[in-house]
């Protein structure tokens, strides 16, 4: 099986750029990253499917000369799923622009509070201590 090196390099570059853009806070950059990443993955599917052959219609060519239609069907399905995801992200970016005037993803308030509690617990003196003897101080047992 021959593999086209140009397709593989293009797939790697597009996937790397797509992942980099997905990690940004701006929904517009996330959207562009999703498009680039999905195109890179689709290119990987086509590169992995092997060289192009004759069309896979009955009687048009010998079966060993026909191209495999499964990767092409998977790429078509991925294109449709990506289109739906892009439409959803566009709606989120538009709504964020309407509400806040920008499309940056904000920090979650609850997540920040949990992170602060974890940081306070990690720096306290009781972090890492065992729970032995806690049963004696348990308020449920004190009521009984």
């Amino acid at each position: 099986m021959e593999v086209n090196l140009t397709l593989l390099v293009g797939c790697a570059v597009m996937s790397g750029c797509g992942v980099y853009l997905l990690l940004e806070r701006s929904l517009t950059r996330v959207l562009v990253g999703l498009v680039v990443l999905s195109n890179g993955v689709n290119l990987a599917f086509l590169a992995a499917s092997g060289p192009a052959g004759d069309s896979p219609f009955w009687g048009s060519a010998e079966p060993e000369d026909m191209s495999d239609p499964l990767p092409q069907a998977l790429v078509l399905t991925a294109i449709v799923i990506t289109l739906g995801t892009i439409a959803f992200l566009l709606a989120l970016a538009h709504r964020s622009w309407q509400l806040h005037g920008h499309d940056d993803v904000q920090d979650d308030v609850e997540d920040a509070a949990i992170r602060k509690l974890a940081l306070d617990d990690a720096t306290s003196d009781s972090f890492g201590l065992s729970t032995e003897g806690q049963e004696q101080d348990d308020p449920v047992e004190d009521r009984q």
Side-chain angles (χ1 to χ4, degrees):
M1 176 178 170
E2 294 179 20
V3 178
N4 190 341
L5 185 61
T6 306
L7 287 179
L8 288 179
V9 170
C11 167
V13 169
M14 290 175 77
S15 298
C17 290
V19 168
Y20 176 76
L21 288 172
L22 277 177
L23 297 176
E24 294 285 329
R25 284 193 170 259
S26 171
L27 283 176
T28 306
R29 291 184 182 187
V30 170
L31 180 72
V32 172
L34 179 71
V35 170
V36 171
L37 178 64
S38 68
N39 284 329
V41 170
N42 291 341
L43 196 61
F45 269 116
L46 291 179
S49 67
D54 292 333
S55 60
F57 291 118
W58 179 259
S60 64
E62 294 297 321
E64 57 270 2
D65 294 336
M66 293 180 183
S67 62
D68 188 12
L70 182 62
Q72 297 169 6
L74 289 174
V75 167
L76 284 176
T77 304
I79 288 171
V80 170
I81 291 171
T82 302
L83 181 66
T85 307
I86 288 170
F88 179 69
L89 270 177
L90 274 175
L92 281 179
H94 180 67
R95 188 64 179 159
S96 176
W97 184 265
Q98 282 181 334
L99 292 177
H100 306 294
H102 57 82
D103 63 346
D104 290 342
V105 176
Q106 302 296 317
D107 285 335
D108 187 17
V109 176
E110 290 295 322
D111 189 33
I114 290 173
R115 190 177 330 125
K116 183 179 181 317
L117 285 174
L119 183 63
D120 290 344
D121 187 40
T123 58
S124 69
D125 294 335
S126 64
F127 182 74
L129 296 177
S130 66
T131 57
E132 292 179 19
Q134 187 173 2
E135 294 86 21
Q136 298 168 355
D137 297 333
D138 192 9
V140 175
E141 292 181 6
D142 289 341
R143 292 181 199 152
Q144 294 176 352

